[in-house]
């Protein structure tokens, strides 16, 4: 028998979340972001549930080719563009849309021998100082690219550093306006947070990622509670051992938790080698047979200990939800000092995944 840990991926929730995005941005087309193996959910597993999307956005050539081989015919956007001039041959062969964020890429596009012109996204650095041209460079870059026989449709693209903040788009939108001045250009600007909370930034194509998987871009589950977004991934395991503690007993590596009175605890088959955050402190929420309780002490590689005082019926074999419907991944992430994005992406390959 295998360990009882399993991650389920809910196809209906994916479809539903895409519909929520459509409602939030009814006039925009949608790039569903499936980078990082669909935020840990498995691109191969999830793409068909998102097939109502207008395009898929990702960054690995391998992931793009996989989608084409699986039969996806609509657009695919390479969010970070190409990494080497030779990649343009694959972009050509698989009909991919690529972002362009650096001068060397313009050079490569000038020199490449392609079978047909490719669609490109010109990336503006709107203040995050990650990828992109500075706003004052964009006009010249745009004209240069427009003149290339290898370039077909062009779209202006930017990414927000702080879209969960109500004021977070004010400065970036000024940069984008400056960059777009005098250009007739479609735009793609909005990540999940801007898709939900900044309709003024929707324009032609939105690029939601995290909300498709049912977690909050702000890290706060309450911020999306009214949207109807549903968690897609549920991580469950079982209690495989029970200990009866007495006052003063320590628990786990470093005895980071001590019982202050008699206490029953459960040992769960889930640890940091499964992708559960090792930094989750005592008190991180878990649910046992639907009853909310908490972790105790350090998370081990393969196991963790939890408080069974709120659930006296629970014992060996009881179902434990680490995150999902009952325990929001955002709440686990917050307790561990991270965000749902990181937990999803960190789901370990050794955890079996069931698609439901
Ligand atoms: C990851 C990413 C997104 C999606 O971000 P979410 O916060 O998950 O919605 C959109 N655009 C770019 C360029 C990205 O890298």
């Amino acid at each position: 028998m295998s360990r009882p840990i399993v991650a389920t991926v809910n196809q209906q929730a994916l479809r539903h979340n895409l519909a929520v995005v459509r409602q939030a941005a009814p006039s925009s087309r949608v790039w569903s972001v499936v980078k990082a193996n669909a935020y840990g959910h498995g691109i191969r597993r999830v793409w068909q549930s998102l097939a109502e999307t207008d395009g898929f956005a990702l960054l690995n050539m391998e992931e793009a080719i996989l989608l084409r081989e699986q039969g996806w015919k609509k657009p695919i956007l390479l969010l970070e563009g190409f990494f080497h001039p030779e990649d343009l041959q694959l972009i050509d062969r698989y009909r991919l849309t690529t972002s362009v964020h650096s001068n060397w890429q313009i050079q490569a596009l000038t020199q490449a021998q392609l079978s047909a012109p490719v669609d490109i996204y010109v990336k503006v650095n709107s203040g995050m100082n990650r990828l992109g041209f500075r706003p004052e460079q964009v006009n010249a870059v745009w004209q240069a690219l427009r003149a290339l026989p290898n370039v077909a449709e062009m779209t202006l693209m930017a990414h927000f550093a702080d879209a969960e903040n109500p004021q977070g788009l004010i400065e970036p939108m000024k940069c984008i306006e400056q960059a777009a001045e005098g250009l007739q250009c479609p735009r793609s600007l909005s990540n999940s947070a801007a898709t939900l909370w900044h309709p003024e930034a929707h324009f032609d194509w939105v690029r939601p990622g995290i909300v498709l998987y049912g977690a909050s871009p702000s890290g706060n589950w309450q911020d999306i509670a009214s949207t109807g977004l549903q968690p897609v991934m549920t991580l469950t395991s079982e209690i495989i051992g029970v200990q009866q503690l007495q006052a003063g007993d320590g628990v786990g590596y470093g005895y980071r938790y001590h019982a202050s009175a008699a206490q029953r605890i459960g040992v769960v088959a889930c640890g940091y080698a499964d992708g559960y955050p090792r930094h989750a402190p005592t008190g991180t929420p878990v649910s046992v047979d639907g009853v909310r309780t908490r972790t105790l002490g350090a998370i081990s590689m393969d196991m963790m200990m939890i408080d069974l005082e709120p659930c006296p019926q629970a014992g060996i074999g009881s179902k434990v939800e680490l995150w999902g419907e009952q325990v929001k991944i955002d709440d686990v992430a917050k307790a561990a000092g991270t965000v749902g994005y990181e937990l999803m992406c960190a789901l370990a390959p050794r955890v079996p995944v069931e698609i439901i």
Side-chain angles (χ1 to χ4, degrees):
M1 277 297 276
S2 51
R3 288 172 77 223
I5 190 166
V6 62
T8 58
V9 168
N10 184 328
Q11 296 175 279
Q12 179 279 327
L14 279 164
R15 282 192 292 270
H16 171 83
N17 293 343
L18 179 57
V20 170
V21 164
R22 291 258 186 229
Q23 260 177 10
S27 312
S28 306
R29 282 185 280 173
V30 178
W31 289 113
S32 290
V33 180
V34 291
K35 63 189 179 188
N37 201 21
Y39 289 48
H41 293 68
I43 199 165
R44 200 186 280 276
R45 274 179 215 112
V46 305
W47 76 271
Q48 278 166 313
S49 306
L50 295 171
E52 290 292 306
T53 193
D54 299 296
F56 284 113
L58 41 71
L59 37 92
N60 263 336
M61 195 63 81
E62 292 74 13
E63 292 178 331
I65 293 172
L66 177 119
L67 280 176
R68 285 287 183 247
E69 286 175 346
Q70 297 264 310
W72 176 251
K73 300 226 165 28
K74 291 199 275 179
I76 297 177
L77 171 63
L78 297 173
L79 290 164
E80 293 181 5
F82 46 99
F83 299 97
H84 307 285
E86 313 83 82
D87 297 341
L88 279 167
Q89 299 310 316
L90 292 172
I91 287 172
D92 182 27
R93 163 133 55 108
Y94 292 99
R95 295 285 92 209
L96 310 178
T97 302
T98 179
S99 85
V100 174
H101 56 75
S102 294
N103 283 318
W104 73 265
Q105 294 174 318
I106 305 178
Q107 207 56 38
L109 272 165
T110 308
Q111 289 161 358
Q113 305 275 330
L114 305 181
S115 68
V118 294
D119 293 341
I120 63 168
Y121 269 48
V122 179
K123 188 142 189 192
V124 190
N125 172 4
S126 59
M128 187 176 188
N129 289 306
R130 207 169 61 173
L131 293 178
F133 298 99
R134 298 186 66 83
E136 63 273 16
Q137 300 174 307
V138 168
N139 201 285
V141 163
W142 191 274
Q143 304 307 340
L145 286 162
R146 187 61 290 164
L148 297 183
N150 278 338
V151 170
E153 275 181 45
M154 293 172 60
T155 302
L156 194 73
M157 170 189 190
H159 189 56
F160 297 122
D162 195 22
E164 47 277 20
N165 177 345
Q167 313 300 318
L169 262 53
I170 296 173
E171 289 306 316
M173 287 301 265
K174 285 184 198 160
C175 289
I176 292 158
E177 285 312 322
Q178 185 193 351
E181 207 182 325
L183 303 177
Q184 289 300 328
C185 55
R187 299 183 203 189
S188 175
L189 312 177
S190 291
N191 56 7
S192 291
T195 301
L196 288 185
W197 300 317
H198 294 280
E200 75 278 13
H202 286 171
F203 289 94
D204 303 85
W205 285 82
V206 293
R207 300 191 311 272
I210 193 76
V211 290
L212 295 175
Y213 309 99
S216 173
S218 69
N220 233 339
W221 165 251
Q222 285 77 12
D223 292 350
I224 59 166
S226 65
T227 60
L229 289 165
Q230 298 171 0
V232 171
M233 184 193 291
T234 300
L235 182 63
T236 58
S237 188
E238 289 177 11
I239 295 178
I240 58 169
V242 172
Q243 298 287 350
Q244 181 62 55
L245 306 185
Q246 293 174 6
D249 283 353
V251 171
Y253 287 117
Y255 309 115
R256 286 210 227 151
Y257 174 79
H258 283 94
S260 54
Q263 183 177 16
R264 213 166 66 98
I265 70 169
V267 182
V268 182
C270 174
Y272 63 80
D274 298 300
Y276 196 90
R278 199 183 73 88
H279 288 103
T282 289
T284 301
V286 301
S287 160
V288 178
D289 288 336
V291 179
R292 207 171 165 93
T293 179
R294 57 183 184 137
T295 64
L296 299 176
I299 307 298
S300 310
M301 184 183 284
D302 311 307
M303 288 174 271
M304 67 174 73
M305 276 65 96
I306 62 171
D307 189 0
L308 294 185
E309 290 298 310
C311 31
Q313 316 304 331
I316 295 195
S318 292
K319 276 259 175 288
V320 180
E321 182 182 295
L322 287 321
W323 60 66
E325 310 251 322
Q326 296 153 22
V327 178
K328 304 304 179 205
I329 197 168
D330 292 311
D331 290 342
V332 177
K334 196 192 283 179
T338 182
V339 286
Y341 296 79
E342 189 181 13
L343 299 191
M344 291 174 183
C345 293
L347 184 76
R350 81 176 190 184
V351 177
V353 180
E354 267 174 21
I355 183 121
I356 57 167

